[in-house]
Amino acid sequence: MLSPQNVIRGFCKSTNPPKYKYLISLYRSEELNIIACFTTSQDRAGIPLEEKRHGVIKNKKNEIISYVFLTDVCVGKTPEDKDFHFPLQSVIRFDYCFKEGNQAELLSNFESPVIVCKLNDKEYEDLIYAMYKSDDTPEVYKPHFEKILFKLGQKKTAI
């Protein structure tokens, strides 16, 4: 279920208050198990609402701080091969979104988790690259993101 690029939705018992959340699986390996990140529909992109756009968000100092999924942008395919759009604008803040562990441990925080989407390759690459380049991403994850980018043949030099 928590294969890279999968987006899982379920009722998250570990939030206060408990609520439905999306979890995006980013990386899976023998040594680290799984790295995943939570999205939020709260206004936490780090820039004014009128400046929001899909993808990478930079602050006034040109530092990458978050990633926004706008509702009108298809980010992947459902298990039924239909286009998937997040129903609400969703944000990933790189300073606090990460979770890691094995699949059973991560999914134990959810009631009825389901795969709702597999991110398309471009969306996944852009997200991983932004996380890799952000100063807010914990350093422990960057070597894993670098491996992903190398494997994907990522050759971007700037966002």
Side-chain angles (χ1 to χ4, degrees):
M1 180 173 266
L2 289 177
S3 297
Q5 294 180 254
N6 280 352
V7 179
I8 288 74
R9 183 175 187 266
F11 189 76
C12 187
K13 301 177 284 187
S14 64
T15 58
N16 188 11
K19 58 186 169 187
Y20 282 93
K21 295 284 289 178
Y22 289 96
L23 182 71
I24 302 174
S25 182
L26 303 169
Y27 177 79
R28 188 173 187 150
S29 74
E30 294 282 329
E31 71 273 3
L32 183 64
N33 294 316
I34 297 166
I35 300 173
C37 64
F38 283 107
T39 65
T40 181
S41 59
Q42 301 300 310
D43 188 21
R44 295 192 179 145
I47 61 170
L49 189 61
E50 62 274 5
E51 293 180 30
K52 290 212 180 96
R53 62 198 166 280
H54 186 87
V56 172
I57 302 297
K58 295 179 180 181
N59 62 16
K60 290 182 191 300
K61 296 177 185 175
N62 207 33
E63 300 163 325
I64 298 170
I65 57 172
S66 62
Y67 196 93
V68 171
F69 297 100
L70 295 179
T71 59
D72 62 345
V73 178
C74 173
V75 297
K77 294 287 187 178
T78 68
E80 297 80 27
D81 201 36
K82 295 183 180 178
D83 288 350
F84 178 83
H85 304 76
F86 280 95
L88 298 172
Q89 176 180 286
S90 297
V91 177
I92 299 173
R93 282 296 302 242
F94 301 150
D95 54 354
Y96 66 86
C97 70
F98 298 99
K99 292 285 183 191
E100 66 178 86
N102 65 48
Q103 180 166 290
E105 185 182 319
L106 289 171
L107 293 179
S108 70
N109 293 310
F110 286 89
E111 287 179 14
S112 306
V114 295
I115 298 171
V116 295
C117 163
K118 180 175 181 179
L119 291 179
N120 66 47
D121 291 343
K122 181 181 180 340
E123 200 72 50
Y124 179 64
E125 284 183 37
D126 289 351
L127 175 59
I128 294 294
Y129 187 76
M131 289 175 167
Y132 176 69
K133 296 298 278 183
S134 176
D135 290 339
D136 289 341
T137 299
E139 287 297 322
V140 67
Y141 300 128
K142 291 195 176 195
H144 303 290
F145 295 152
E146 187 173 33
K147 283 184 208 174
I148 294 168
L149 294 170
F150 182 77
K151 185 176 178 182
L152 294 172
Q154 181 64 276
K155 293 182 173 49
K156 289 184 179 182
T157 56
I159 290 183

